[in-house]
């Protein structure tokens, strides 16, 4: 299917707006003071050069295609309420929610409970986070999420309060395990009938309590508004998350690798391939002693051959090499402690030495406020994964599904989903020596994953022939793919522009040089090398553009984008250094020298999208 005509323009606009509006990630507060240098040590920085991998027989793999996102086909968020949608009516009672699971399981459950509160016409009390699961995290809702924003963002949908009124704290409550994957009828009949005798209903669990499909459009859109707009992380988490993204970008384009090779996942799944007998025995003991894990006896070989096991670090290294990514590709490991540590990471590190984690991108003091809280650490990984150039999950768990869905919502950013079942057969051949790494293996891996890169498609329904809970369990999760409920196609270029313009404050008409944001990769280099010119024709107003013009009296360059306030950078010299700028076909292309550094720490914090590695780079400037 060909791209829609307005696709490129829409993608430009989303690129400028998504961090502030759709992702819900707050702008870095100027009140957050981080004294440490933002850029990583100079000796760790890598500049990526054009790379072509020789596959043999003269065939060349184009490096740029490895990072190219799939065609968006004109899909954009459409969360508008229907004409019949009303403001919250007088509440029937109060809904208490006890969430369960890790961060992303709790996120999905909270968003579902927002929809349930709407269906029940209930006042939602800020949910309690799970403190008894495997991770034993003591974090409260306000420690992980922006509580005030959550309440205000949902004001037109449901009433949310922080605590149950004191006079109701001791009255009897209806404690209920809501039925999994239920529809509106279940809540309107069976659960709503509880209001006759109770003022407070308590949901004992929150995960998978709403059906993925066949719900009213307004309820589905409310789930998306809750997930992608209302439920943003707390200011301190977002500040640190954006700082991690900035530091990763100093290495160039990067892959966020959700390497789910952690003790809890291996114990839960029963996957022991590549582990020692002692390690396998330890995992079996953990599984046996964890009471809420129902399945105790698991055949690891069968699990792996069916594709139910996370890829090992060694398998991930072969997979990435087979896709064509060069050894200098920066990888961000979005995971907790890898089981076995460096023993199991050595093979991956030998292929891709630039392995970065939260721990080596930050100082001890920077990470200290989050270190003892699994949910907050997972939130940092979530932010870096959503903002990455490519996201690759090695297992289809809760975080993988949540990040994939969020990236789809933000314009179908490139997400490669490994076909674990097919890969296992290939990797086993490599392990026994019947197939060698090289052109043949690479071609097979590339072909298998050609259609597994996050392109737009409707959410998958149940597997034919399945019944009961297995039928619901086989469906693609709602938050893994919000299409078609929350993403619409063919709304028209101008209509989409209007939609994004409303959410991009600070836009003004500027006379000067128009800088196309889609070609702009900011790396905090000096803007002084731009040509010294003072008279231009007025550039057409375009929401997808940022603007740069010279204030000749003050000898400053002013950068202004739809989602950033004006930024002034003093030039290093009145004339551009020779060799830095070239002009061709009406475009000026400039690159900064590696030694140039401008911008204070305060400027970097206020304008994280512009600053990276100590300077600003301006690319793709067009004379109007």
């Amino acid at each position: 299917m060909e791209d829609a005509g307005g696709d490129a323009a829409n993608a430009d606009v989303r690129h400028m707006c998504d961090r502030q509006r759709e992702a819900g990630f707050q702008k870095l507060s100027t009140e957050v003071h981080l004294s440490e240098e933002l850029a990583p040590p100079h000796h760790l920085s890598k500049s990526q050069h054009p790379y072509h991998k020789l596959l043999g027989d003269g065939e060349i793999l184009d490096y740029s295609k490895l990072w190219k996102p799939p065609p968006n086909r004109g899909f954009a968020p459409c969360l508008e309420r229907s004409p019949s949608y009303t403001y919250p009516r007088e509440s029937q009672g109060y809904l208490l929610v006890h969430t369960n699971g890790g961060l992303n399981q709790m996120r999905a459950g909270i968003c579902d409970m927002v929809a349930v509160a709407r269906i029940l016409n209930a006042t939602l009390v800020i949910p309690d986070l799970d403190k008894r699961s495997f991770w034993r995290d003591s974090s409260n809702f306000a420690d992980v999420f922006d509580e005030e924003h959550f309440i205000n963002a949902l004001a037109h949908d449901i009433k949310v309060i922080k605590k149950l009124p004191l006079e109701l704290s001791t009255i009897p409550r209806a404690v209920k395990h809501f039925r999994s994957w239920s529809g509106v009828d279940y809540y309107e009949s069976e659960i709503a009938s509880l209001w006759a005798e109770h003022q407070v209903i308590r949901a004992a669990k929150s995960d998978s309590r709403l059906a993925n499909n066949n719900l009213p459009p307004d309820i589905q859109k409310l789930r998306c508004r809750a997930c992608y707009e209302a439920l943003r992380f707390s200011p301190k988490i977002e500040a640190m998350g954006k700082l991690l993204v900035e530091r990763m970008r100093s290495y160039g384009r990067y892959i966020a690798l959700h390497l789910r090779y952690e003790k809890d996942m291996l114990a839960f799944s029963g996957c022991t391939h590549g582990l020692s007998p002692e390690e396998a025995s330890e995992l079996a003991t953990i599984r046996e002693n964890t009471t809420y894990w129902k399945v105790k006896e698991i055949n690891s070989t069968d699990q792996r051959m069916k594709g139910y096991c996370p890829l090992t670090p060694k398998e991930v290294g072969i997979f990435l090499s087979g896709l064509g990514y060069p050894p200098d590709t920066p990888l961000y490991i979005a995971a907790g402690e890898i089981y076995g540590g460096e023993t199991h990471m050595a093979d991956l590190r030998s292929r891709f030495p630039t392995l970065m984690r939260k721990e080596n991108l930050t100082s001890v003091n920077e990470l200290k406020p989050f270190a003892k809280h699994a949910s907050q650490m997972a939130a940092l990984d979530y932010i870096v994964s959503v903002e990455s150039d490519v996201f690759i999950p090695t297992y289809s768990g809760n975080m993988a599904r949540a990040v994939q869905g969020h990236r789809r919502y933000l314009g179908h950013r490139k997400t490669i989903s490994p076909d674990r079942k097919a890969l296992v057969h290939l990797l086993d051949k490599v392990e026994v020596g019947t197939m060698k790494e090289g052109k043949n293996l690479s071609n097979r891996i590339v072909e298998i994953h050609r259609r597994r890169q996050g392109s737009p498609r409707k959410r998958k329904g149940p597997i034919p022939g399945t019944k009961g809970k297995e039928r619901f369990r086989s469906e693609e999760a709602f938050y893994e793919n919000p299409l078609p409920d929350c993403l619409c196609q063919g709304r028209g270029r101008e209509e989409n522009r209007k939609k994004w313009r409303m959410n991009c404050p600070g836009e003004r008409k500027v006379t000067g040089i128009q800088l196309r944001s889609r070609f702009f990769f900011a790396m905090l280099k000096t803007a002084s090398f731009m040509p010294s010119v003072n008279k231009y024709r007025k550039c057409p107003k375009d929401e997808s553009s940022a603007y740069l013009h010279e204030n000749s009296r003050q000898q400053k360059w002013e950068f202004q984008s739809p989602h950033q306030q004006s930024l002034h950078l003093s030039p290093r010299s009145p004339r551009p250094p020779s060799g830095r700028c070239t002009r061709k076909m009406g475009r000026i292309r400039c690159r900064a020298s590696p030694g140039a550094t401008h911008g204070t720490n305060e400027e970097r914090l206020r304008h994280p999208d512009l600053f990276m590695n100590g300077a600003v780079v301006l690319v793709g400037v067009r004379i109007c």
Side-chain angles (χ1 to χ4, degrees), residues 188-261:
E188 288 182 337
S189 57
E190 185 171 334
I191 302 302
S193 65
L194 297 173
W195 294 131
E197 298 181 4
H198 300 87
Q199 290 181 270
V200 180
I201 297 175
R202 180 175 179 268
K205 283 190 174 183
S206 63
D207 65 316
S208 304
R209 303 298 128 172
L210 261 185
N212 294 309
N213 304 299
N214 302 318
L215 294 178
D218 276 328
I219 293 298
Q220 298 289 58
K221 292 178 187 297
L222 174 56
R223 296 169 86 178
C224 287
R225 286 197 298 273
C227 187
Y228 305 124
E229 296 186 354
L231 197 60
R232 64 166 56 152
F233 293 116
S234 65
K236 67 172 185 177
I237 289 177
E238 291 201 2
M240 180 54 68
K242 288 214 170 190
L243 184 60
L244 290 170
V245 171
E246 181 184 345
R247 291 179 178 176
M248 277 306 301
R249 292 222 177 275
S250 69
Y251 295 90
R253 290 177 289 193
Y254 71 93
I255 296 173
L257 184 65
H258 183 42
L259 190 59
R260 197 67 168 94
Y261 204 72

Side-chain angles (χ1 to χ4, degrees), residues 43-55:
H43 71 279
L44 291 178
S45 298
K46 283 178 174 278
S47 60
Q48 294 193 341
H49 302 285
Y51 173 86
H52 293 84
K53 182 178 179 181
L54 185 63
L55 296 179

Side-chain angles (χ1 to χ4, degrees), residues 255-259 316 320 331-335 348 390-394:
I255 296 173
L257 184 65
H258 183 42
L259 190 59
V316 171
L320 292 177
L331 304 183
Y332 177 84
I333 306 300
L348 177 58
V390 179
F391 175 65
I392 301 179
T394 64

Side-chain angles (χ1 to χ4, degrees), residues 596-615:
T597 57
H598 277 272
T600 65
N601 279 351
E602 181 182 355
E603 287 174 335
R604 298 177 191 181
L605 282 172
R606 289 174 53 213
H607 306 278
D609 294 341
L610 302 183
F611 297 120
M612 202 164 286
N613 199 28

Side-chain angles (χ1 to χ4, degrees), residues 112-113 178-182 187 205-211:
D112 280 355
M113 289 300 108
F178 295 162
R179 193 175 65 197
S180 299
W181 298 294
S182 296
Y187 287 102
K205 283 190 174 183
S206 63
D207 65 316
S208 304
R209 303 298 128 172
L210 261 185

Side-chain angles (χ1 to χ4, degrees), residues 73 75 408 412 455-461 476 481-485:
R73 304 212 292 263
F75 281 97
R408 287 181 182 276
H412 292 87
S455 58
R457 60 169 176 77
K458 289 186 177 180
R459 190 167 56 255
K460 296 178 182 178
E476 188 172 24
N481 184 4
L483 195 157
D485 307 275

